[in-house]
Amino acid sequence: MKIMMKKISMIALFHNKECPIPLKFGILRPNKEPFYLRVGSIIHWEYEKKAGIPAYLFQCVSIIDHREIRYELKFIIPSSCWYLYKI
């Protein structure tokens, strides 16, 4: 997988300050067109703390053009920002 660390807009579900659940996200294509993708399933998630910054890391799978694509999403807790971490 290639590290992207690209900021994305996310629709997520939050339950009483617990771990958020990513549902759908949008990203800009190179030609500046928005592309929206539904998170097919979450394979694994974990809490991590690197350089003192707490975050959740999600390993996900979605179907794009009849192909199964694996990717990782990262939620940085203090800034409440979502990133496409690896693809």
Side-chain angles (χ1 to χ4, degrees):
M1 282 201 244
K2 182 179 177 184
I3 295 178
M4 303 284 289
M5 202 61 176
K6 205 172 203 183
K7 195 170 186 177
I8 57 174
S9 58
M10 175 65 72
I11 296 175
L13 183 63
F14 289 83
H15 287 292
N16 300 329
K17 295 188 178 183
E18 291 180 14
C19 178
I21 301 168
L23 301 175
K24 186 176 184 179
F25 67 94
I27 192 166
L28 289 177
R29 291 183 175 174
N31 61 357
K32 303 295 182 191
E33 281 185 22
F35 176 71
Y36 298 98
L37 182 65
R38 186 175 77 66
V39 176
S41 63
I42 299 170
I43 298 169
H44 177 73
W45 68 271
E46 64 184 28
Y47 174 82
E48 68 176 14
K49 197 169 190 179
K50 288 188 180 175
I53 301 171
Y56 287 111
L57 187 63
F58 299 90
Q59 294 177 4
C60 305
V61 173
S62 290
I63 304 293
I64 304 173
D65 296 328
H66 306 290
R67 292 185 303 160
E68 187 176 88
I69 305 293
R70 292 185 70 161
Y71 53 93
E72 291 185 10
L73 301 171
K74 185 177 256 192
F75 177 66
I76 309 294
I77 297 170
S79 62
S80 297
C81 290
W82 285 91
Y83 293 91
L84 177 59
Y85 183 57
K86 289 182 184 178
I87 192 162

